[in-house]
Amino acid sequence: MMSVSDIIRTDIQQMTAYAVAALPPGAIKLDAMEMPYRLPEAFRQALAAKLADAPINYYPNVATCGLQETLRDTFQIPSCARIALGNGSDELIQMISLLVAKPDAAVLALEPSFVMYKHNAALFGLNYVGVPLNEDFTLNLPSTLAAIEQHQPALIFVSYPNNPTGIAFERKQVEAIIEAAPGVVVIDEAYGSFSRDSFLPLAGSMEKLVVMRTLSKIGFAGLRIGYAAGHPSVIDELAKILPPYNMNQLSLATAHFALQHYDWVLEHVDILKQQRVRMQQELAKFDDVEVFDSEANFITVRVPDADALFTALKEQGILIKKLHGGHPLLNQCLRFTIGTPEQNNRVLEVVNAFFG
Ligand SMILES: *Cc1c(COP(=O)(O)O)cnc(C)c1O
């Protein structure tokens, strides 16, 4: 007799599920680059009234919901770009991978980077090529260009700034990758709002360029709204394979509301950027902490014993991300999401006590 385990793909059976850490009550959550601020009470009341009116008896209509135009206005997306909406940019990573999944096609990404690029390549039977970054997490352009030349990837992902290292690669190097690419290049700007630079102004002007962004890191991770801006040659094809009802009425209505209050978002992004500078300076004062430069809402550090510091923070109710073990280059590395000034004070207290 056949059992389901004979039917389900062996490679999937060998995977482990993406684990979202359980949070003890009162804990400070600095592991997933969420914004620590919530909309103020008055906004939330207004939002509640708006959601009460949302037509949840009807399927959402992504084409006519108007969110693309609101995103275009808010983020100055060029008029020549098409915009696809995803249930989080995670869904767009998945669907763009599926879009190019011909037999023998390759996906190239830098390493360490966002784990979903490799995961989705595996899911869709694409050959995955991971090109290691330099030890200081800068981009190794010669080896990247050599890998592009050798493997002719149908799809390249560049996280700009890079997660989990925080560094924004040199723009010129990323331009060289786009130039050399034989296929689609996704510039994943999940942290674009915290960065000095962006490729969004080029969206739509080059066939192979897709710029991907998300509302997740700027206050709305729970909404699951990501978007990809690019040339019609890619985005119109992508639109064909996105599930027709991938977005939901409540998220769409909330996203509209959130972008009407974009000043609030910017104000809090600014606070976090200032806190990033502060945390970089404060953490760098410890002889045992190597701080990497960051253009995102998190800081990656290397310490003598990542596990010990991770545990010390956890015991004090602070959850960060242990990168150690994820990739050889991330040896003894930890990643701190930037929190509120008060949360950051707590982090510094614990780090101080740990090394003091
Ligand atoms: C967080 C993150 C995403 C996922 O964003 P969602 O829109 O929440 O799915 C995509 N890319 C990178 C590099 C990220 O860090």
Side-chain angles (χ1 to χ4, degrees), residues 103-126:
D104 300 326
V107 171
L108 183 145
L110 305 164
E111 287 198 348
S113 192
F114 194 44
V115 292
M116 287 297 152
Y117 309 146
K118 183 178 183 176
H119 177 72
N120 282 292
L123 217 48
F124 296 115
L126 288 145

Side-chain angles (χ1 to χ4, degrees), residues 163-186:
N163 177 13
T165 61
I167 285 179
F169 306 122
E170 280 179 41
R171 185 180 174 95
K172 278 206 163 3
Q173 296 184 319
V174 178
E175 285 169 350
I177 290 173
I178 297 170
E179 170 84 28
V184 175
V185 183
V186 175

Side-chain angles (χ1 to χ4, degrees), residues 79-333:
S79 56
C80 61
R82 294 281 165 84
I83 300 170
L85 300 180
N87 196 290
S89 39
D90 275 346
E91 185 183 46
L92 294 168
I93 295 171
Q94 195 176 345
M95 288 296 149
I96 292 170
S97 303
L98 180 57
L99 198 61
V100 301
K102 291 187 182 181
D104 300 326
V107 171
L108 183 145
L110 305 164
E111 287 198 348
S113 192
F114 194 44
V115 292
M116 287 297 152
Y117 309 146
K118 183 178 183 176
H119 177 72
N120 282 292
L123 217 48
F124 296 115
L126 288 145
N127 298 320
Y128 175 77
V129 181
V131 182
L133 298 171
N134 294 315
E135 299 234 325
D136 62 358
F137 302 139
T138 56
L139 202 153
N140 185 336
L141 189 61
S143 70
T144 307
L145 293 180
I148 292 172
E149 174 67 27
Q150 186 191 342
H151 299 282
Q152 295 291 308
L155 179 59
I156 298 176
F157 285 106
V158 179
S159 172
Y160 184 81
N162 190 40
N163 177 13
T165 61
I167 285 179
F169 306 122
E170 280 179 41
R171 185 180 174 95
K172 278 206 163 3
Q173 296 184 319
V174 178
E175 285 169 350
I177 290 173
I178 297 170
E179 170 84 28
V184 175
V185 183
V186 175
I187 306 295
D188 181 348
E189 295 191 355
Y191 304 95
S193 297
F194 299 94
S195 171
R196 280 183 293 237
D197 191 39
S198 171
F199 280 84
L200 203 50
L202 292 181
S205 63
M206 296 167 77
E207 221 175 21
K208 58 184 165 184
L209 176 67
V210 173
V211 182
M212 202 169 68
R213 287 200 164 200
T214 174
L215 300 189
S216 295
K217 312 292 155 64
I218 55 173
F220 307 100
L223 291 185
R224 312 306 302 127
I225 292 200
Y227 59 97
H231 196 275
S233 312
V234 175
I235 303 298
D236 288 355
E237 300 306 314
L238 182 62
K240 295 178 188 172
I241 59 168
L242 284 169
Y245 305 121
N246 65 334
M247 314 300 288
N248 72 78
Q249 302 280 28
L250 298 179
S251 280
L252 291 171
T254 309
H256 271 293
F257 182 88
L259 295 177
Q260 275 166 6
H261 299 282
Y262 190 58
D263 285 351
W264 178 89
V265 174
L266 284 180
E267 194 185 309
H268 290 84
V269 164
D270 269 349
I271 295 172
L272 294 173
K273 280 160 75 177
Q274 285 163 25
Q275 287 296 308
R276 174 180 73 200
V277 174
R278 172 198 174 211
M279 289 303 276
Q280 275 172 320
Q281 288 169 350
E282 291 299 324
L283 289 168
K285 287 180 187 166
F286 298 99
D287 289 341
D288 281 336
V289 183
E290 181 185 0
V291 181
F292 294 96
D293 202 17
S294 172
E295 288 276 309
N297 64 339
F298 62 87
I299 294 178
T300 296
V301 302
R302 178 173 285 125
V303 293
D305 187 344
D307 203 46
L309 180 55
F310 174 83
T311 305
L313 285 157
K314 199 168 174 189
E315 280 168 359
Q316 295 300 315
I318 301 171
L319 185 63
I320 62 163
K321 175 77 177 179
K322 185 165 52 182
L323 299 174
H324 179 79
H327 188 277
L329 286 170
L330 295 171
N331 190 40
Q332 304 302 345
C333 285

Side-chain angles (χ1 to χ4, degrees), residues 26-43:
I28 298 178
K29 190 172 186 316
L30 301 176
D31 65 327
M33 282 77 81
E34 291 134 321
M35 192 184 248
Y37 299 104
R38 302 180 67 188
L39 288 172
E41 181 62 24
F43 284 0

